Amino acid sequence: NAGVMQNPRHLVRRRGQEARLRCSPMKGHSHVYWYRQLPEEGLKFMVYLQKENIIDESGMPKERFSAEFPKEGPSILRIQQVVRGDSAAYFCASSPQRSTDRGPQHFGDGTRLSIL
Amino acid sequence: GQQLNQSPQSMFIQEGEDVSMNCTSSSIFNTWLWYKQDPGEGPVLLIALYKAGELTSNGRLTAQFGITRKDSFLNISASIPSDVGIYFCAATSGSARQLTFGSGTQLTVLP
């Protein structure tokens, strides 16, 4: 999955701590999407961002989760006060334009978040 | 919400055999995508379909966007060991930008 860079690849947190996941989109891509994947399941949409704007956060839990895509630097998915149920693989995807305009989404290799 | 029903859930085939998997939905979509995911990695785009009835190939892979806009299939011909992995269908509808994913097809290729 050359291009979309996510870090860290693995993240371990204790309950109540904060988790911060980073995503650098492919060069030339200005649209970022975050997805969550539980074991044995498909990916579930969380949030869609463009530079400095949240476009669609309909899949994001209302509490403890936030996302940003600043003018400079990577997109950040932040989970505050983590709980065991937050354990999952979090994937970032990017596209050069809206996915409905022939700009398919390309994925990073994900961050595996484990909550102790 | 929108759901994609992907089948089969898993397949065990002999090397050299052809494979077929599909996704159906009660909703209409305007883009269908097929991804492959290997353990510990992210989904890799295999084929993108943008027009109802469209048939697209990528090497040994062929996918079609159903004419009703509610389904898609993926065929793999002459399977090889590196085809092992989980295959996901994904789709977008007119107003939504996010991908809706199927639950995946786990493919095992036996030597």
Side-chain angles (χ1 to χ4, degrees):
Chain A
N1 287 321
V4 179
M5 303 301 294
Q6 288 188 250
N7 69 83
R9 289 295 306 275
H10 301 274
L11 182 60
V12 179
R13 284 288 177 267
R14 295 188 181 281
R15 282 178 295 171
Q17 291 184 322
E18 178 179 285
R20 197 173 285 207
L21 288 60
R22 295 175 190 78
C23 169
S24 296
M26 286 181 71
K27 188 176 181 180
H29 287 193
S30 58
H31 299 238
V32 166
Y33 313 78
W34 286 93
Y35 294 80
R36 178 164 60 180
Q37 186 180 34
L38 297 173
E40 312 290 324
E41 295 186 10
L43 282 71
K44 298 286 194 297
F45 168 76
M46 299 180 73
V47 62
Y48 162 41
L49 310 103
Q50 294 178 32
K51 282 286 186 182
E52 299 185 278
N53 285 305
I54 296 175
I55 307 301
D56 182 351
E57 55 182 348
S58 59
M60 192 97 102
K62 294 287 185 272
E63 296 177 352
R64 300 188 299 107
F65 285 72
S66 62
E68 63 179 11
F69 189 15
K71 187 176 180 181
E72 300 291 336
S75 175
I76 305 286
L77 178 68
R78 185 182 290 110
I79 311 173
Q80 296 177 304
Q81 299 177 315
V82 296
V83 301
R84 289 248 169 91
D86 296 333
S87 295
Y90 292 83
F91 290 96
C92 169
S94 71
S95 70
Q97 53 195 354
R98 293 193 314 180
S99 59
T100 52
D101 293 334
R102 295 182 174 260
Q105 295 176 27
H106 296 269
F107 285 81
D109 281 334
T111 293
R112 272 90 187 150
L113 177 63
S114 298
I115 308 301
L116 303 179
Chain B
Q2 296 171 323
Q3 265 192 308
L4 299 183
N5 302 306
Q6 187 171 350
S7 65
Q9 188 175 1
S10 62
M11 302 181 76
F12 292 81
I13 60 168
Q14 294 291 139
E15 185 176 352
E17 289 184 342
D18 298 344
V19 173
S20 184
M21 59 192 78
N22 68 84
C23 275
T24 62
S25 177
S26 58
S27 303
I28 290 174
F29 293 93
N30 61 3
T31 303
W32 282 90
L33 303 155
W34 285 90
Y35 289 88
K36 177 174 183 260
Q37 186 177 29
D38 291 328
E41 298 183 8
V44 174
L45 181 67
L46 299 174
I47 292 180
L49 302 155
Y50 299 102
K51 193 175 172 182
E54 181 180 355
L55 183 72
T56 297
S57 292
N58 177 8
R60 294 179 295 107
L61 278 60
T62 301
Q64 184 158 31
F65 189 149
I67 197 73
T68 65
R69 305 170 73 93
K70 294 181 179 181
D71 62 336
S72 177
F73 72 74
L74 174 71
N75 287 341
I76 306 173
S77 62
S79 58
I80 58 178
S82 62
D83 291 334
V84 166
I86 304 177
Y87 292 80
F88 288 100
C89 62
T92 63
S93 61
S95 58
R97 297 163 179 84
Q98 69 266 29
L99 291 171
T100 298
F101 276 81
S103 53
T105 295
Q106 171 74 63
L107 178 64
T108 301
V109 180
L110 304 171

